[in-house]
Amino acid sequence: MTTYHFCLASRHFLLEEEPLEEVLKERTRNYHEREQEIDFWLVEQPAFLEAPEFKEMKQQCPQPSAAIISTNPTFITWLRLRLEYVATGQFEAPSESIPEPLKSLAPVSAS
C-alpha cells in the first residue's frame, strides 16, 4: 500500500479563487527539470471522501470538492501553508474502503 497525502477544499476555492493552475504548472516544470516523476494529482470530487473514515471531513467541505493528492507529504504541507483554507489528511491505498486513490466522481464532460 501507498500513503497518499492531500489538500481538500471546495472546487470553487481551489480552481477559481486560488492561482492553483500556476502553482501546479511551476511544480510540474520543476519536476521535469530535475527529471523527477510527477507525484501529485488534481482530482475533482475525489472518491476517497466516500470512505467511512472521511465522512465527517466530507460533510465539512463545501461541495463539489477538489483535492490535490500526492505521495509527497512535504509538498502537501507546503500547499497547506500556501493556500491556508484547505483541509489536509492522508490515507493508505489501495484498501477495502479506498480501492482507487485517484478516482474522481465528477461527471465526465462530453467534448
Side-chain angles (χ1 to χ4, degrees), residues 26-81:
E26 173 58 27
R27 186 74 173 187
T28 300
R29 184 193 61 74
N30 179 271
Y31 274 40
H32 287 303
E33 285 178 359
R34 295 166 64 200
E35 297 181 6
Q36 186 175 350
E37 187 174 329
I38 300 295
D39 61 2
F40 61 91
W41 303 269
L42 172 63
V43 179
E44 294 185 42
Q45 292 181 246
F48 74 82
L49 285 180
E50 300 302 315
E53 58 266 38
F54 291 111
K55 180 180 180 180
E56 188 175 316
M57 185 175 277
K58 181 180 178 184
Q59 289 174 341
Q60 293 176 358
C61 183
Q63 299 296 315
S65 63
I68 290 82
I69 303 172
S70 179
T71 55
N72 181 340
T74 304
F75 177 54
I76 296 301
T77 299
W78 179 84
L79 274 176
R80 168 70 181 100
L81 296 171

Side-chain angles (χ1 to χ4, degrees), residues 85-106:
Y85 303 108
V86 295
T88 57
Q90 68 182 43
F91 58 87
E92 298 280 327
S95 66
E96 188 173 316
S97 62
I98 306 173
E100 298 177 62
L102 305 177
K103 183 178 179 179
S104 170
L105 299 177

